[in-house]
Amino acid sequence: MPPPSDIVKVAIEWPGANAQLMEIDQKKPLSSIIREVCDGWSLSGSEQFALRYADGPQLYITEQSRSEIKNGTILRLAISPARAARQLLDRIQSHGIDARLEALKELAKLSADPTFATEFISMEGIGTLARLVESGTHFGEMLAFTLTAFLELMDHGIVSWDLISLSFIKQIASYVNQPMVDVSILQRSLAILESMVLNSHSLYHRVAQEITVGQLIGHLSNQEIQTYAIALINALFLKAPEDRRQEMASTLAQKHLRSIILNHVIRGNRPIKAEMAHQLYVLQVLTFNLLEERMMTKMDPSDQAQRDIIFELRRIAFDGENDPSGTEKRKAMYTKDYKMLGFTNHVNPAMDFTQTPPGMLALDNMLYLAKLHQDTYIRIVLENSSREDKHECPFGRCAIELTRMLCEILQVGELPNEGCNDYHPMFFTHDRAWEEFFCVCIQLLNKTWKEMRATAEDFNKVMQVVREQITRTLAMKPSSLDQLKGKLRGLSYSEILRLRQSERMSQDDFQSPPIIELRERIQPEILELIKQQRLNRLCEGSCFRKLGNRRRQEKFWFCRLSLNHKVLHYGDLDESPQGEVPFELLTDKIPVSDIKSVVTGKDCPHMKEKSALKQNKEVLEQAFSILYDPDENLNFVAPNKYEYCIWTDGLCALLGREMGSDLTRSDLDTLISMEMKLRLLDLENITIPEAPPPVPKEPSTYNFTYNYG
């Protein structure tokens, strides 16, 4: 007879004594259980003790978290959080250096525990640590552990960052500004400043007064602190007022941030880890977001300075030299030229730039092309204006629509997505990467227009093909603009047609009745094959990243299914594994029989607060949770869409439910298509009428047989 579900068998350790094997009744108060444990070792004052996990993070067990205890768990009897906090606080303030150092080491470890942190903070512990830092008397290891403990305690969100004093900020900033500082101290100082900026509007201004961009850029040559430095730059950039961002961007350009990142990070001798990739992605997004103001600015047709830009486009294309007769009288005669330039409004082309997006950003791109790539600009305009077969490519209209498209593809104006690492190395290879990207794409558009022999009626079709060419090429992650050009040359219109045809064939759009019946016959076995593949992948396991309140040091955990498909094993890891993680290292487990359901997206417990935030959209789409007895959950955020589909499909298959992800449907269609092609080769007799007859009531009306060999 199986034991009751509220009875948990554990082992409890105590230094210098044999472990106790106990059956914990989850219905009994935790204080009663601790009293029984203390009685077993003849320890008095049970209220001064608590239970902690012996492995992993060694967190304290509370009434709220006790339900997470599993059969076979090893626990440890320890002094209570309040007692531990009081002892450490006294030792930290002692005069013995060695005793203080050991206390700070232990504090740095315990501060990650929310139960201990609550007790330590209630004793004014954070103020004590802040005063130690402000005194400037701590150095080396002692200072590093002090900063680590401070950061861990603040990360729980129990105390507001707004309470931090100016003298503390100045002291932390001084560690960043000093030329020779220990790497561990510098890392923690940068992480603390980043958290200040991200969590407090008032502290942003204080930190911005103490830290200059030039000082942060100087740290990028050190590979140990590159990620921390870029993270702080991004935080300052993100929180800067609108009027300060352009100024900050100019400073970053003057300090050659882009080239330093390119040479020391992207082309460095170390592989780029996930956290660094995320920070590069954030910097890329924030840089492109500087275009948002121009993108959302309408052109004022009455503004002479703005109209002069259009006159300049006309002059460069058709006059060559400065036009001495560029007066208002002459401007009335420009209608023909504006038509050849491809504007929709030939009389007043300024009206073409009154829609947002792309607004004035499109005109900026056109002027950049005309001035910096003048030969290309003139060739595109004159080549199309001289054609009389109605196949001319309207440069103005194309440039405006292309700018809008590029803004959509690169999500100009959107906030960075948490957990996204989608940065493009080529955008770090040029100071005017956006404009150069536009110049490459406008030439692609002109080339594709000619290949399609398009007319004005085909405008939208051409833009769809160009979008596909650009998105396919960006997915290849070209490392430079030259490589981008090469890959775009390989994606001609004929190649796009070939790829589309190949994809259509793989999706198997055949609608003849024999094909439909064949599909229905083999679909169950293919679906079973997919289920087995999903379950096999769950047995191999996957690594997941823990999401915290700040991004300074990645933490991971691993989950895998037992080979008999009866238990899910999981546990924390110090770093991302390179291969399969043994079951012995995964200390926690959930019986599959205890799983009640699998939920995704906004229905997940850990997404209920984050789902409304714009920057968590991608995280929301890759989140799922396992709900199990009694009322607990295990929360996941998949590293990518593929892993999300693997796990949600696999869990549904494990529970005997229908799989429903897009990837499953895609895999199913692909596998069915492949199997059908093989079996169709073996069809001995298949009869398909020349003219489709009335739909029969029974599929057996059609005469076809299979040879399965």
Side-chain angles (χ1 to χ4, degrees):
M1 179 177 179
S5 58
D6 50 10
I7 300 297
V8 183
K9 296 181 178 181
V10 299
I12 303 178
E13 301 176 339
W14 175 253
N18 294 327
Q20 297 186 39
L21 300 179
M22 290 188 62
E23 290 187 354
I24 293 180
D25 186 349
Q26 294 285 36
K27 294 181 179 179
K28 294 177 63 175
L30 191 58
S31 58
S32 299
I33 296 171
I34 295 173
R35 187 181 304 113
E36 291 179 18
V37 174
C38 290
D39 291 343
W41 284 309
S42 301
L43 299 173
S44 60
S46 61
E47 67 278 359
Q48 298 294 318
F49 293 92
L51 292 176
R52 293 170 58 185
Y53 289 99
D55 301 317
Q58 300 182 8
L59 300 176
Y60 278 101
I61 295 170
T62 64
E63 289 288 357
Q64 293 73 33
S65 64
R66 61 183 295 182
S67 59
E68 299 175 7
I69 303 175
K70 308 300 179 185
N71 282 320
T73 302
I74 301 176
L75 305 179
R76 179 174 297 158
L77 185 66
I79 61 175
S80 67
R83 186 179 171 191
R86 173 52 61 191
Q87 289 183 359
L88 284 176
L89 197 57
D90 293 340
R91 289 164 58 192
I92 288 170
Q93 299 177 85
S94 68
H95 297 292
I97 295 178
D98 292 340
R100 185 180 297 181
L101 177 59
E102 289 303 314
L104 287 170
K105 283 184 180 179
E106 189 173 349
L107 177 63
K109 181 179 179 181
L110 280 175
S111 294
D113 189 313
T115 306
F116 170 84
T118 302
E119 296 291 344
F120 189 81
I121 291 172
S122 68
M123 300 174 185
E124 302 297 328
I126 286 183
T128 301
L129 295 180
R131 285 190 292 273
L132 291 176
V133 174
E134 292 170 9
S135 67
T137 58
H138 283 51
F139 305 97
E141 259 192 323
M142 191 173 292
L143 178 59
F145 285 119
T146 303
L147 296 178
T148 301
F150 179 87
L151 193 56
E152 290 285 359
L153 292 167
M154 292 299 296
D155 195 34
H156 293 292
I158 301 172
V159 178
S160 171
W161 282 92
D162 289 318
L163 300 177
I164 302 302
S165 67
L166 181 58
S167 58
F168 181 85
I169 297 174
K170 288 180 177 292
Q171 189 63 42
I172 296 295
S174 69
Y175 300 137
V176 176
N177 296 334
Q178 290 176 17
M180 298 295 293
V181 179
D182 185 77
V183 168
S184 60
I185 295 174
L186 191 53
Q187 287 177 340
R188 289 157 178 79
S189 298
L190 290 167
I192 289 173
L193 292 173
E194 179 198 358
S195 291
M196 288 180 183
V197 172
L198 293 177
N199 290 286
S200 172
H201 178 72
S202 61
L203 291 187
Y204 158 76
H205 295 284
R206 295 181 179 180
V207 173
Q209 290 173 356
E210 300 294 331
I211 299 293
T212 66
V213 173
Q215 290 163 336
L216 295 176
I217 291 177
H219 291 305
L220 293 181
S221 58
N222 187 333
Q223 294 180 331
E224 300 296 328
I225 57 177
Q226 286 174 339
T227 305
Y228 296 88
I230 295 179
L232 181 52
I233 291 174
N234 285 338
L236 290 168
F237 209 155
L238 183 64
K239 294 297 181 177
E242 293 292 338
D243 57 339
R244 281 274 300 141
R245 289 183 185 175
Q246 290 291 349
E247 180 183 338
M248 187 175 176
S250 300
T251 304
L252 293 175
Q254 293 171 5
K255 297 293 184 179
H256 306 292
L257 173 65
R258 178 199 59 77
S259 59
I260 292 173
I261 289 177
L262 181 66
N263 296 323
H264 291 281
V265 180
I266 297 176
R267 295 177 180 173
N269 54 10
R270 281 189 176 188
I272 295 179
K273 295 183 178 180
E275 175 61 16
M276 174 61 82
H278 172 76
Q279 295 300 339
L280 293 176
Y281 154 77
V282 172
L283 182 59
Q284 172 186 293
V285 171
L286 295 177
T287 303
F288 283 148
N289 282 356
L290 294 172
L291 304 169
E292 183 179 12
E293 181 181 357
R294 294 293 285 174
M295 180 183 75
M296 300 307 295
T297 300
K298 297 181 179 181
M299 186 171 186
D300 183 1
S302 63
D303 189 323
Q304 186 59 45
Q306 295 180 2
R307 294 170 62 189
D308 286 343
I309 299 176
I310 299 178
F311 299 153
E312 181 70 1
L313 292 175
R314 193 213 65 81
R315 184 196 65 77
I316 295 174
F318 301 117
D319 291 351
E321 302 296 332
N322 288 329
D323 186 359
S325 59
T327 63
E328 289 294 334
K329 293 182 179 180
R330 179 66 187 275
K331 291 170 188 174
M333 303 169 58
Y334 290 167
T335 300
K336 181 180 178 181
D337 290 347
Y338 291 145
K339 182 178 180 181
M340 289 192 291
L341 276 171
F343 289 113
T344 303
N345 192 318
H346 308 152
V347 178
N348 186 6
M351 300 302 296
D352 286 15
F353 301 95
T354 56
Q355 291 187 356
T356 58
M360 291 294 290
L361 185 59
L363 188 59
D364 296 341
N365 286 341
M366 295 165 70
L367 185 63
Y368 181 89
L369 174 69
K371 287 192 170 183
L372 276 297
H373 298 274
Q374 193 170 115
D375 291 343
T376 299
Y377 169 69
I378 294 174
R379 175 180 57 80
I380 291 175
V381 173
L382 296 184
E383 180 182 275
N384 286 287
S385 63
S386 61
R387 301 174 70 180
E388 298 179 356
D389 56 358
K390 296 184 180 181
H391 287 278
E392 65 275 4
C393 176
F395 169 75
R397 183 185 177 192
C398 287
I400 293 170
E401 188 57 34
L402 177 63
T403 301
R404 189 202 318 274
M405 179 195 298
L406 297 183
C407 289
E408 292 174 357
I409 292 174
L410 297 176
Q411 298 180 329
V412 176
E414 298 285 335
L415 289 174
N417 285 322
E418 184 180 352
C420 182
N421 304 332
D422 190 23
Y423 80 98
H424 296 279
M426 69 176 182
F427 291 130
F428 292 87
T429 62
H430 200 284
D431 289 329
R432 303 292 296 272
W434 165 265
E435 291 86 350
E436 289 294 322
F437 184 48
F438 169 83
C439 293
V440 172
C441 292
I442 194 67
Q443 295 178 71
L444 167 72
L445 196 159
N446 187 59
K447 172 175 171 286
T448 302
W449 187 283
K450 290 189 292 184
E451 291 174 347
M452 295 177 67
R453 292 190 56 78
T455 62
E457 290 75 15
D458 302 317
F459 183 85
N460 291 332
K461 294 180 181 178
V462 176
M463 297 307 298
Q464 290 173 3
V465 173
V466 171
R467 176 186 281 270
E468 187 172 345
Q469 290 171 314
I470 294 172
T471 52
R472 285 181 183 270
T473 304
L474 287 177
M476 302 177 195
K477 292 297 176 70
S479 59
S480 65
L481 290 167
D482 287 337
Q483 194 174 104
L484 171 74
K485 296 176 186 177
K487 292 185 180 298
L488 285 174
R489 280 194 293 269
L491 274 179
S492 62
Y493 174 56
S494 58
E495 177 64 12
I496 291 293
L497 289 179
R498 189 193 67 78
L499 290 172
R500 287 179 174 178
Q501 180 66 18
S502 175
E503 290 167 0
R504 277 197 295 268
M505 292 293 291
S506 67
Q507 293 170 2
D508 201 31
D509 287 333
F510 301 52
Q511 297 300 317
S512 61
I515 299 294
I516 293 174
E517 183 164 337
L518 178 57
R519 181 185 182 87
E520 291 174 351
R521 285 195 182 192
I522 65 177
Q523 180 165 328
E525 60 187 87
I526 296 296
L527 187 59
E528 183 61 31
L529 177 64
I530 294 176
K531 288 182 179 179
Q532 292 304 317
Q533 183 268 346
R534 296 293 194 264
L535 291 173
N536 291 340
R537 279 286 289 109
L538 263 61
C539 290
E540 296 174 8
S542 298
C543 180
F544 301 91
R545 181 172 61 84
K546 287 190 172 182
L547 292 181
N549 293 330
R550 66 177 187 278
R551 306 182 57 86
R552 58 183 185 82
Q553 184 176 359
E554 286 202 299
K555 295 182 180 179
F556 302 91
W557 66 289
F558 197 90
C559 187
R560 62 181 298 194
L561 179 66
S562 62
L563 300 181
N564 61 5
H565 296 178
K566 291 186 177 181
V567 180
L568 277 174
H569 296 262
Y570 66 96
D572 293 333
L573 302 175
D574 293 331
E575 57 183 19
S576 180
Q578 299 301 315
E580 195 173 277
V581 177
F583 289 107
E584 296 77 24
L585 298 180
L586 305 176
T587 56
D588 300 309
K589 58 186 178 181
I590 299 175
V592 172
S593 59
D594 288 350
I595 298 178
K596 293 191 293 185
S597 64
V598 177
V599 296
T600 61
K602 63 182 180 181
D603 295 327
C604 297
H606 61 313
M607 289 291 116
K608 291 189 182 298
E609 294 183 1
K610 293 188 174 185
S611 61
L613 298 180
K614 190 177 182 181
Q615 58 266 40
N616 289 308
K617 180 181 178 182
E618 185 167 334
V619 175
L620 184 66
E621 292 175 349
Q622 295 170 190
F624 60 98
S625 297
I626 294 175
L627 307 184
Y628 62 96
D629 289 334
D631 288 308
E632 301 301 321
N633 51 75
L634 184 63
N635 299 318
F636 300 74
V637 175
N640 50 54
K641 189 67 175 176
Y642 176 76
E643 287 292 326
Y644 169 83
C645 294
I646 286 289
W647 274 85
T648 52
D649 284 351
L651 290 170
C652 288
L654 193 63
L655 300 177
R657 300 168 187 172
E658 182 181 356
M659 300 184 294
S661 75
D662 293 337
L663 190 62
T664 299
R665 300 277 78 81
S666 174
D667 286 356
L668 179 62
D669 291 342
T670 300
L671 288 171
I672 289 178
S673 176
M674 293 171 59
E675 180 75 5
M676 286 179 69
K677 289 172 184 175
L678 291 174
R679 294 191 182 187
L680 284 172
L681 293 175
D682 291 335
L683 287 176
E684 292 181 340
N685 181 20
I686 181 168
T687 303
I688 303 178
E690 293 184 3
V695 178
K697 295 182 179 179
E698 298 294 336
S700 58
T701 303
Y702 294 94
N703 176 28
F704 62 96
T705 58
Y706 302 102
N707 177 10
Y708 292 101

